[in-house]
């Protein structure tokens, strides 16, 4: 890799500057997408200054992809995208709302979808890396993602669209009877798509509202629960703009920030018990995996229920054929380099220098065979 030439600066500083100007990066009011961590939401509500920056390249790429996909869906399918919803406590932009025929009929023609939905569906699009893809297929949206989608859906259901420029005809519809939540995951490395959807559940929407209500009732952000384990342990904290006020500085420079959670011997006793519990769970997990691996040792690759079995390795290993190498030296009349016996390393070097092919043979051993288990996308 070459250093960035002065005449051709990196694009990323420009992208970060633009990203910081986005309304989402400056807002102080709580947005549905801010409901990932209780304490972070509390900092936003308190108007706390964002003290920490982070490398946002992956997030910025996700934003570009998101905007591109939604723009295409709006142009080609007539989707209602990035529409604003809000009430006194929360606001947000819904990625896409798919109206049913009767609701769509109440809108001007230009705002009607090309293909109405059977029930009004609120769709949230999430871009994910391949690294997280297996988790997406296996478990779908996280609790925080589901909460966010329910907040959007409930704002639509109770208030309707915000009455602002660009969406006045939609605002005139009033509350919308949302019947379904849909997540569309897009793999940002290879474009794969995975859709998860479920009927709108009023109880789940109420739980999402309570979550917001609870955060609003804290008198200071420090009363709110840290929903994640902290910098160095969770990427959400690594990228959080409030990680310094949230965790503070450890007493001893250079140690983990989580040390701020230990104040006395009682805390140490608790942490040690947690460590032992984690160790026991890990040991039990390893035991289960090892036994299952052994049971599968003779099974062919394939799809078995929700999982796909694959094998890597187990291939023949090529090694230098030493006898053939001695023969080659004899045939060429070249003296064999010796140490205590034939110096095979030196022989290889001599053959490479002379441009003579080093004879290889298939060894008795094979490369390490490893199991790979991934979720099956249905
Ligand atoms: S650092 Fe982590 S726990 Fe603290 S507010 Fe940010 S996301 Fe929440």
């Amino acid at each position: 890799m070459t250093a960035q030439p002065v005449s051709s600066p990196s694009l990323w500083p420009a992208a970060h500057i633009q990203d910081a100007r986005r309304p989402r990066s400056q807002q102080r009011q709580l947005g549905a997408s801010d409901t990932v961590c209780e304490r972070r939401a509390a900092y936003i509500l308190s108007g706390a200054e964002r003290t920490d920056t982070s490398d946002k390249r992956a997030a910025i790429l996700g934003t570009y992809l998101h905007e591109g996909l939604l723009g295409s869906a709006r142009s080609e399918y007539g989707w209602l995208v990035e529409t604003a919803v809000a009430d006194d406590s929360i606001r947000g932009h819904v990625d896409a709302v798919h109206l049913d025929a009767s609701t769509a009929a109440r809108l001007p023609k230009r705002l009607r979808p090309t293909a109405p939905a059977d029930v009004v569906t609120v769709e949230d699009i999430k871009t994910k890396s391949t690294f997280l893809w297996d988790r997406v297929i296996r478990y779908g949206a996280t609790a925080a993602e589901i909460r966010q989608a329910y907040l959007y859906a409930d704002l639509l259901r109770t208030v309707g669209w915000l009455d602002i420029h660009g969406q006045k005809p939609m605002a005139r519809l009033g509350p919308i009877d949302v019947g379904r939540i849909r997540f569309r995951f897009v793999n940002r490395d290879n474009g794969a798509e995975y859709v998860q959807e479920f009927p709108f559940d009023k109880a789940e929407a109420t739980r999402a509202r309570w979550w917001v209500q609870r955060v609003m009732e804290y008198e200071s952000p420090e009363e709110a629960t840290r929903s994640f384990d902290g910098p160095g342990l969770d990427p959400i904290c690594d990228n959080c703009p409030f990680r310094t006020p949230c965790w503070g500085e450890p007493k001893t420079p250079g140690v983990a920030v989580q040390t701020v959670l230990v104040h006395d011997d009682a805390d140490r006793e608790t942490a040690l018990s947690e460590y032992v519990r984690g160790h026991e769970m890990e040991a039990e997990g390893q035991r289960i995996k090892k036994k299952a691996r052994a049971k599968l040792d003779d099974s062919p690759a394939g799809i078995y229920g929700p999982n796909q079995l694959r094998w890597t390795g187990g291939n023949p290993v090529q090694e230098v054929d030493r006898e053939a190498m001695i023969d080659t030296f004899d045939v060429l009349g070249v003296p064999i380099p010796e140490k205590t016996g034939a110096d095979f390393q030196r022989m290889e070097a001599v053959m490479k220098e002379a441009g003579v092919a080093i004879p290889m043979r298939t060894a008795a051993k094979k490369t390490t065979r490893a199991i790979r288990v991934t979720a099956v996308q249905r």
Side-chain angles (χ1 to χ4, degrees):
M1 211 164 77
T2 54
Q4 198 73 43
V6 179
S7 57
S8 172
S10 166
L11 291 170
W12 287 113
H16 276 84
I17 291 168
Q18 287 268 311
D19 185 72
R21 281 201 205 113
R22 284 174 184 274
R24 233 174 258 171
S25 306
Q26 294 179 325
Q27 66 201 9
R28 292 287 178 267
Q29 193 192 351
L30 194 61
S33 58
D34 297 320
T35 59
V36 64
C37 166
E38 252 202 23
R39 185 165 300 192
R40 182 150 90 188
Y43 278 123
I44 292 169
L45 276 174
S46 73
E49 196 187 332
R50 292 163 195 251
T51 49
D52 300 273
T53 54
S54 51
D55 180 350
K56 298 179 77 180
R57 285 179 295 183
I60 291 171
L61 285 177
T63 304
Y64 292 165
L65 187 59
H66 201 257
E67 285 174 355
L69 290 170
L70 287 178
S72 305
R74 175 176 45 212
S75 309
E76 302 303 318
Y77 302 155
W79 284 13
L80 296 172
V81 305
E82 285 284 356
T83 50
V85 285
D87 68 5
D88 294 342
S89 60
I90 194 141
R91 43 115 205 92
H93 284 84
V94 195
D95 280 349
V97 181
H98 306 281
L99 295 180
D100 59 0
S102 62
T103 314
R106 295 163 54 206
L107 281 175
K109 265 193 179 156
R110 65 185 167 82
L111 291 174
R112 292 182 202 159
T114 50
D118 54 342
V119 292
V120 176
T121 303
V122 163
E123 177 165 332
D124 203 7
I125 298 182
K126 302 281 182 207
T127 61
K128 301 277 176 181
S129 68
T130 298
F131 179 62
L132 293 173
W133 198 245
D134 194 72
R135 206 160 77 193
V136 165
I137 305 294
R138 211 174 278 287
Y139 307 114
T142 63
E145 287 167 342
I146 290 174
R147 179 165 53 241
Q148 182 187 345
Y150 266 104
L151 289 170
Y152 292 139
D154 204 52
L155 284 168
L156 260 184
R157 216 179 52 89
T158 52
V159 183
W161 273 289
L162 204 53
D163 189 4
I164 53 170
H165 177 71
Q167 55 179 54
K168 289 200 175 281
M170 287 134 67
R172 279 195 286 273
L173 296 178
I176 305 290
D177 186 18
V178 177
R180 182 189 292 132
I181 305 264
R182 175 183 298 148
F183 285 95
R184 186 182 302 269
F185 297 97
V186 178
N187 184 318
R188 62 174 79 137
D189 303 313
N190 60 24
E193 251 180 297
Y194 174 68
V195 170
Q196 174 195 12
E197 56 183 31
F198 40 84
F200 179 88
D201 176 358
K202 218 173 154 207
E204 198 67 49
T206 305
R207 263 194 290 278
R209 292 294 199 149
W210 280 346
W211 192 97
V212 174
Q213 198 54 44
R214 192 172 60 234
V215 174
M216 291 176 78
E217 282 166 9
Y218 291 126
E219 286 185 3
S220 90
E222 282 67 33
E223 286 175 27
T225 309
R226 295 181 180 101
S227 305
F228 298 94
D229 290 338
L233 297 183
D234 198 297
I236 293 184
C237 296
D238 289 336
N239 294 307
C240 177
F242 303 107
R243 58 185 184 272
T244 302
C246 178
W247 290 90
E249 296 291 341
K251 273 194 201 136
T252 310
V255 302
V257 289
Q258 288 77 6
T259 49
V260 303
L261 300 174
V262 171
H263 305 287
D264 50 30
D265 282 354
D267 291 340
R268 284 182 194 97
E269 187 179 333
T270 306
L272 279 170
S273 298
E274 288 167 357
Y275 186 90
V276 169
R277 188 169 66 89
H279 177 76
E280 285 169 358
M281 288 165 72
E282 201 175 25
E284 176 64 358
Q286 285 292 339
R287 189 192 65 75
I288 293 169
K289 270 177 73 178
K290 275 186 185 164
K291 186 174 175 193
R293 166 69 181 80
K295 283 160 69 179
L296 290 163
D297 207 25
D298 203 22
S299 296
I303 291 174
Y304 302 95
N307 294 304
Q308 178 164 18
L309 168 66
R310 274 180 284 189
W311 296 103
T312 58
N315 302 315
V317 173
Q318 290 290 301
E319 64 178 11
V320 173
D321 186 340
R322 293 182 163 182
E323 285 166 27
M325 195 151 62
I326 290 173
D327 287 348
T328 308
F329 269 70
D330 284 345
V331 169
L332 296 173
V334 179
I336 292 174
E338 294 199 16
K339 265 189 186 167
T340 46
D343 183 347
F344 291 107
Q345 263 189 354
R346 181 77 194 119
M347 287 170 79
E348 274 187 57
V350 169
M351 291 175 85
K352 268 188 201 154
E353 272 169 33
V356 177
I358 297 168
M360 304 295 287
R361 67 178 181 192
T362 302
K365 62 179 179 185
K366 295 191 169 179
T367 57
T368 310
R369 189 162 172 258
I371 191 168
R372 276 209 68 205
V373 183
T374 48
V376 176
Q377 185 167 342
R378 305 253 174 216

